[in-house]
Amino acid sequence: MTLAESLAKQQRSISVAEFFEKNKHLLGFDSPTRGIITTIKEAVDNALDACEEAEVLPDIYIAIKKTGKDVFRIIVEDNGPGIVPENVPFVFGKLLYGSRFHQIRQSRGQQGIGISAAVLYAQLTTGVPTTVISRTGHDLPAYFFELMIKTEKNEPHIIKKEIIDWDRTHGTRVEIEFKSNLSAKRRLLDYLKYTAVVNPHARIQADIDGEMLTFERATNETVTPPQAIAPHPYGTEFGQLKRMASVSDETVFAFLTNGFSQVGKKSAQDILGIARIKETRKANRLKTKDLKALLEAMQSVHIPPPPASQCLSPIGEEMIVSGLDKEFQLDFVKAKTRKSQVFSGHPFIVEAAIGYGGKLDQEGSARLLRFANRVPLIYQQGACAITNAISEVNWRSYNLSQQGLPTGPILILVHVASTNVPFTSESKDAVAAISEIEREIVLALQDLGRELKTYISRRDRNKQDENRARAICSILPEIAAKVSEIVGKPVPDISPLEGQIMRRVICRKKTDNGMVKISVANYTAKPVTVMVYAVSADTAKDASVPPDFVDSIGEEFNKVWRCEVASQGTWEVTYTGTLGGSIDLRGVDEKMKVVVDVDI
Amino acid sequence: MTLAESLAKQQRSISVAEFFEKNKHLLGFDSPTRGIITTIKEAVDNALDACEEAEVLPDIYIAIKKTGKDVFRIIVEDNGPGIVPENVPFVFGKLLYGSRFHQIRQSRGQQGIGISAAVLYAQLTTGVPTTVISRTGHDLPAYFFELMIKTEKNEPHIIKKEIIDWDRTHGTRVEIEFKSNLSAKRRLLDYLKYTAVVNPHARIQADIDGEMLTFERATNETVTPPQAIAPHPYGTEFGQLKRMASVSDETVFAFLTNGFSQVGKKSAQDILGIARIKETRKANRLKTKDLKALLEAMQSVHIPPPPASQCLSPIGEEMIVSGLDKEFQLDFVKAKTRKSQVFSGHPFIVEAAIGYGGKLDQEGSARLLRFANRVPLIYQQGACAITNAISEVNWRSYNLSQQGLPTGPILILVHVASTNVPFTSESKDAVAAISEIEREIVLALQDLGRELKTYISRRDRNKQDENRARAICSILPEIAAKVSEIVGKPVPDISPLEGQIMRRVICRKKTDNGMVKISVANYTAKPVTVMVYAVSADTAKDASVPPDFVDSIGEEFNKVWRCEVASQGTWEVTYTGTLGGSIDLRGVDEKMKVVVDVDI
């Protein structure tokens, strides 16, 4: 026997389940810790995709229950359209099975691997079968399954299948049990929070081993699901064209106009003219030579880019801004949705946002929020084209310090939406380095960087103005004393002047000739609504503006006025009264108010 | 029809070829540029693995030929054992097919995807079938194939199969033609160079579109192929144990001792004792409960680590040092092969080397050379655990500057050898972040860093000494003049003193009383061999050391002595002669010599 013959005995085909069982880190199951997030992410992706297709408002329940030492049971239930019982075993018990792989449109799932990988991981680590309940309508029964995967064949193994009672009229529930631990809980919470931010139409409830969390719906509008489009001529490869042509029974003219995106009659005529192919020839009769000429012609004629608005679903600037602001209470936040672009024929849109100040950490690198097709990316930040593109921007020119990433109280969100997001691995943690995508991210961030620079300069200028004003105010008393000494008059009250210089709200009380006068002057740039509290023995029954509220405290009266004062405006009240008592102003920041009681 | 029913119509299974055609970037075909390197890498991996198994010295021919606009034909031919004709279509025309996937030992290929991915890429981009020639022995015919892949089925499509004449007695030749360009030529050359460095037993010839390159064999010793081992109990998962038990017809005792690595009779008894299972029970009759108890017991008993020396094949410190030194002519180079370790039951060894100075760039980040199972890793440096681990080392404590990576004229080589290298994707460009591996890399580099620090300190101290000596020498003449003035004597010749201080080689010629005396004094730390050239009218026939060579130049004679002088030693010759002529010393660096002619 030759060596080749003995080697031949060892050669055999490897099932895709065997491959991913051995290389489970490629699917995001490289550590027990990660397994939980990966599984929930895949199940929630499926739930959100299905609800979007059914145009129902998603109602998702997630539970993580410790069932033994280092063993957790993950439950995800949704109110989606459900899965027909014939397909349940394949959706959960076969890797590379799905509905979205062959469609050209934005969706969260795109590989047909996700949830079945979790089933595989469960049977590998605990041997516990996965249970699935699914129901496709109120007039149809709910089916219960116990499933595993035949690893050597990559086929589902149905252990139990039965009809059960279920309170949902439609939806799916999956329970998967594997070795894990909750040490990545912070990341899990981030994942849930960010998912809620970009899916404001979803209600998400989570029971994390007893700790209950609810992310309420922020809108009752369903998301219109992106529509699938045909392939675009510019992104078509020879092998793909050949395959499409071989299964077509149309003329080559109809094949072009029906089979490709954005190819109208005029374009088809131009293409066939250049390729020197008669319009009436059957597509499936074209020879290799003809197909090569056809492809070259298809890619030389001007054809509009793919209809991105139809097949893509960006989050939108408004929603990004409100989501971030709600979460981080930022001093500055702007978002930018770029126009759609194309890489290798796949349309994509980049969205980005920058947040500054607020609850962000003052120190350290920028906080990154990465999203792909509305799904938060949690792991492998360093390997991601998004991170790379952010580091490529010269942040110093926007007055930020930078060590690769910009540093300081800054947050950067980037969302890449595409009909085919190029991930660096099946675990979908990081976007691959595609230059077209990186370029769009850089352009979006440069736009936002300029706006941030304007904001920071203005803020710094304001601070400078304030410092200058403070300096002036600090010498005002001396000037006043000097001047009054020279002219031989008493020292004047300079507080309104200070208020004016410092751009503050001044409340003054002065008693003169048995009359009390309270005034509120607003030197800020915005109108204010404030409450004036005056406590004294005076009843103020004859007040020029009656108090909104009067309360007696022992022998004194607490008089309260609610007053709106325009920018640069003044509000006033007078009443009969005597010296004494106290005054206060509320409803305006402590640093912004000056209260002066000039009774002496 | 419910929505679930209409969705169900879109669900179908996806062949692994379809999956990787769409996600070709996962296999290293994300750009036309990369395709060439990926293809050559996969073919060369296979060739080297096969030659290793056959224990023949590899003789590999690579050609890259431009055959059209942006189309290249890649040819790789080896003298390995060949592939039996029945298996050729599967090896090249089916993804996930191979001999090394199920074996626990170090090999370059481990996935069964590599070369068939290139075949897939060729048919996608050019539609040109791949040709393969293979022969398995001198008494057997050579077979020629034209192959493609049926993408929807992931099965080979044989277009042509015939017997041909071929001048190799055994080996394989593959020709693959796809869209590409040569813009990554520098990386390709790096790949070839580094492959040669770690495979000194291979002859590699390359014809890069007309440019010929040969990497000659540096040794004629074949590499002993690593041997496959059984799985180790500590790395066994429940699902794997269950599967192994179900196909066993042995008793559970024999199952343990035969089926697992490092489990002897004593260990097996201990395991079964703890698990409370009788030794004579059949392995395939164990219940889930028994198997769980068995696994727990297997992982609680002390069992030696897997026999790494058998299944792993590190490069070795000596070979790494000589390979690097040959390539970069380094001032400092050290290598370290760590002891084997285990992650998730997979044995691995980390090797590392540091080079300094020589031909390395003075500026910029360290040059990294990453290897996994003797294969150079070319792409995705930023995403690799090796890069990560290097950045984690505190290089400042070894007197190097650092910006993530250390900077300066430094080179870092890291080799990870394992029975299962955890790559971040199928393209095998980067090692995944496994903490055990990162830790070993850090430890190896810390060791080497300390040695580098010692070297740099010594070098700096030498430089300091030299600066000090230079300062002394610069004032010596003044001291000499002053002293001679005071004592009223002529200024002495201070050059030997200078030579001594500066640690140099001094050659002096002095004529006194009709006698010429030439001396060579070696003040350096090492012995020197130098040539003394004395040109004058003297014949030197009575020289105390006869010249090694005498030549007449016109009226003068050139006398040459070859002399070896120990460190701190002196060599001398005297002969009858007169003033005049010239003297020179050769065989020592210009900066290191002082020639003094004190004839006046």
Side-chain angles (χ1 to χ4, degrees), chain A residues 21 25 101 243 423 426, chain B residues 21-22 25 243 423 426:
Chain A
E21 183 183 286
H25 63 282
F101 180 82
R243 199 155 57 224
F423 289 110
E426 288 84 347
Chain B
E21 183 182 287
K22 183 169 169 187
H25 63 280
R243 199 155 56 226
F423 289 109
E426 289 83 348

Side-chain angles (χ1 to χ4, degrees), chain A residues 277-562:
Chain A
I277 296 172
K278 268 175 69 181
E279 293 183 8
T280 50
R281 274 183 70 180
K282 285 281 192 183
N284 60 9
R285 306 294 286 274
L286 294 174
K287 303 247 162 56
T288 295
K289 185 171 62 67
D290 301 324
L291 288 167
K292 285 200 174 168
L294 186 64
L295 186 63
E296 205 167 306
M298 280 164 70
Q299 296 178 346
S300 66
V301 163
H302 173 78
I303 294 167
S309 61
Q310 187 184 333
C311 60
L312 297 183
S313 159
I315 305 168
E317 296 178 359
E318 204 179 324
M319 188 159 305
I320 293 175
V321 167
S322 69
L324 289 179
D325 204 30
K326 188 175 150 213
E327 196 56 56
F328 298 99
Q329 286 100 58
L330 299 157
D331 295 337
F332 167 92
V333 56
K334 287 267 174 179
K336 186 100 204 158
T337 300
R338 299 269 311 166
K339 278 193 195 154
S340 70
Q341 299 290 335
V342 176
F343 78 92
S344 309
H346 309 297
F348 73 96
I349 285 178
V350 163
E351 301 185 281
I354 292 185
Y356 191 86
K359 288 196 167 180
L360 297 170
D361 283 346
Q362 289 295 317
E363 302 289 320
S365 282
R367 180 166 189 152
L368 305 194
L369 270 64
R370 298 173 294 131
F371 292 88
N373 284 4
R374 290 178 172 248
V375 178
L377 308 183
I378 303 296
Y379 288 94
Q380 294 194 29
Q381 180 170 299
C384 187
I386 292 176
T387 312
N388 208 13
I390 294 172
S391 301
E392 266 173 34
V393 173
N394 179 8
W395 293 97
R396 293 190 187 88
S397 67
Y398 309 125
N399 297 345
L400 293 167
S401 53
Q402 179 171 19
Q403 289 188 313
L405 296 176
T407 57
I410 180 168
L411 168 152
I412 298 173
L413 176 150
V414 175
H415 176 221
V416 177
S418 176
T419 54
N420 186 20
V421 178
F423 289 110
T424 59
S425 86
E426 288 84 347
S427 62
K428 300 188 286 186
D429 292 312
V431 177
I434 303 291
S435 57
E436 289 92 334
I437 296 179
E438 290 188 335
R439 187 169 167 274
E440 279 296 299
I441 298 172
V442 168
L443 289 174
L445 291 175
Q446 284 174 339
D447 258 13
L448 294 166
R450 278 187 288 273
E451 298 203 43
L452 176 60
K453 183 183 178 179
T454 307
Y455 164 79
I456 293 178
S457 319
R458 188 178 297 139
R459 190 199 57 174
D460 290 352
R461 205 164 48 236
N462 287 347
K463 206 171 258 175
Q464 218 172 27
D465 284 355
E466 199 184 313
N467 289 344
R468 205 175 293 141
R470 204 180 299 278
I472 293 169
C473 290
S474 70
I475 56 160
L476 267 183
E478 283 176 58
I479 294 174
K482 208 52 144 181
V483 168
S484 58
E485 198 186 302
I486 292 167
V487 300
K489 297 218 169 180
V491 179
D493 170 24
I494 54 167
S495 49
L497 205 58
E498 277 181 6
Q500 205 167 348
I501 293 169
M502 297 295 289
R503 297 195 183 144
R504 291 189 173 170
V505 180
I506 311 277
C507 179
R508 300 178 87 228
K509 172 166 162 265
K510 195 168 181 178
T511 310
D512 199 15
N513 270 331
M515 287 300 283
V516 178
K517 181 169 149 192
I518 299 173
S519 65
V520 177
N522 175 11
Y523 296 111
T524 71
K526 288 180 180 172
V528 293
T529 301
V530 291
M531 313 290 276
V532 176
Y533 287 73
V535 180
S536 68
D538 308 322
T539 56
K541 285 207 166 134
D542 62 347
S544 59
V545 180
D548 291 278
F549 177 79
V550 180
D551 193 18
S552 66
I553 308 168
E555 310 226 315
E556 299 198 312
F557 297 92
N558 180 19
K559 302 162 287 287
V560 183
W561 286 270
R562 184 177 176 283

Side-chain angles (χ1 to χ4, degrees), chain B residues 516-561:
Chain B
V516 177
K517 181 170 148 192
I518 299 172
S519 65
V520 177
N522 175 11
Y523 295 112
T524 71
K526 289 180 179 173
V528 293
T529 302
V530 290
M531 313 289 277
V532 176
Y533 288 73
V535 179
S536 68
D538 308 323
T539 57
K541 285 204 167 136
D542 62 346
S544 60
V545 181
D548 291 277
F549 176 79
V550 180
D551 192 17
S552 67
I553 307 167
E555 311 227 313
E556 299 199 313
F557 299 90
N558 180 18
K559 303 163 287 285
V560 183
W561 287 270

Side-chain angles (χ1 to χ4, degrees), chain A residues 40 77 90 121 152 156 170 175 232 257 272 276 311 441 536:
Chain A
I40 291 180
E77 184 176 312
F90 295 100
Y121 189 63
E152 297 85 343
H170 53 84
E175 302 194 12
H232 192 272
T257 52
L272 293 171
R276 294 169 178 275
C311 60
I441 298 172
S536 68

